[in-house]
């Protein structure tokens, strides 16, 4: 494994050729960029989403180029405050072209408990977090056995998960 800087991880989102797939397994994430938007959301305050426009533009451009962004969020019930916020935000990301799906943690018991991205079925970036749910490092592997194992697990997760809008409707969270 090779440690990546955050800039190197960001570059993977701009350089992949076909697919960027994510498995998210945490109940909460404490990323600097989301802290204030999450606070506003939970307080019922409006958010103009200016802070997220770069991500939306990148996803839209990738989709125009025929690339695919997909992710599965493994969640417990009741949903954590973070996951309620993330479900709302995912509506905007889905609008930009990302396929975001939700999977009940009970149905994910045999899946890895790692947060990671798989790029083009060739590279895996594993994201590590501290005890406060803050991202602290990203590790890249191109080991074929590891990539194959984690990509296969993600495909299983995608097959079990439901699209964001269907999940939101089923749980009355439109």
């Amino acid at each position: 494994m090779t440690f990546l800087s955050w800039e190197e991880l960001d570059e993977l989102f701009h350089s992949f050729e076909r697919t960027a797939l994510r498995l998210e397994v945490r109940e909460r994430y404490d990323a600097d960029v989301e802290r204030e938007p999450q606070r506003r959301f939970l307080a019922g305050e409006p958010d103009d989403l200016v802070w997220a426009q770069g991500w939306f533009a990148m996803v839209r451009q990738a989709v125009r180029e025929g690339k695919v962004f997909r992710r599965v969020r493994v969640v417990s019930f009741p949903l954590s405050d973070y996951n309620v916020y993330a479900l709302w935000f995912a509506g905007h990301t889905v609008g930009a072209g990302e396929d975001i799906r939700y999977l009940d943690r009970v149905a994910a018991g045999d899946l890895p408990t790692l947060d990671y991205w798989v790029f083009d079925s060739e590279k895996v970036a594993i994201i590590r977090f501290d005890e406060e749910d803050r991202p602290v490092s990203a590790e890249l592997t191109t080991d074929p056995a590891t990539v194959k194992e984690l990509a296969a697990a993600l495909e299983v997760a995608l097959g079990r998960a439901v699209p964001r809008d269907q999940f939101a409707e089923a749980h009355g969270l439109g």
Side-chain angles (χ1 to χ4, degrees):
M1 295 238 189
T2 303
F3 283 97
L4 297 172
S5 68
W6 296 120
E7 292 78 19
E8 290 168 323
L9 177 62
D10 187 57
E11 177 53 34
L12 291 173
F13 295 110
H14 297 279
S15 64
F16 76 94
E17 296 178 6
R18 297 175 310 281
T19 58
L21 312 175
R22 171 85 187 262
L23 182 65
E24 292 183 353
V25 298
R26 304 180 68 81
E27 293 297 329
R28 180 175 175 268
Y29 295 86
D30 187 9
D32 292 344
V33 70
E34 287 187 319
R35 199 169 293 129
E36 179 59 17
Q38 181 183 351
R39 185 206 62 76
R40 282 195 304 268
F41 172 81
L42 293 173
E45 299 171 7
D47 187 339
D48 60 11
L49 297 172
V50 167
W51 61 275
Q53 293 307 309
W55 180 261
F56 298 154
M58 180 184 63
V59 170
R60 281 191 296 273
Q61 180 61 37
V63 170
R64 277 194 297 273
E65 293 171 4
K67 299 176 184 180
V68 174
F69 270 93
R70 296 176 86 186
R71 80 174 71 204
V72 173
R73 288 196 171 126
V74 177
V75 296
S76 298
F77 293 94
L79 293 178
S80 67
D81 284 348
Y82 177 85
N83 278 322
V84 172
Y85 155 76
L87 182 64
W88 166 80
F89 182 72
H92 299 282
T93 306
V94 166
E98 186 172 358
D99 177 5
I100 299 177
R101 296 171 181 246
Y102 283 78
L103 179 62
D104 186 325
R105 189 166 307 281
V106 173
D110 60 335
L111 297 175
T113 57
L114 298 170
D115 268 63
Y116 60 93
W117 283 94
V118 177
F119 296 96
D120 296 328
S121 298
E122 297 170 355
K123 301 173 188 172
V124 172
I126 298 171
I127 314 300
R128 306 283 184 190
F129 298 84
D130 67 14
E131 60 280 346
E132 300 297 319
D133 302 309
R134 293 179 298 238
V136 294
S137 68
E139 301 169 23
L140 181 70
T141 184
T142 57
D143 171 64
T146 302
V147 171
K148 183 177 179 180
E149 175 187 345
L150 294 177
L154 219 158
E155 287 300 323
V156 168
L158 283 162
R160 293 178 187 167
V162 298
R164 182 260 174 217
D165 292 349
Q166 181 181 338
F167 180 85
E169 183 178 321
H171 296 284
L173 298 168

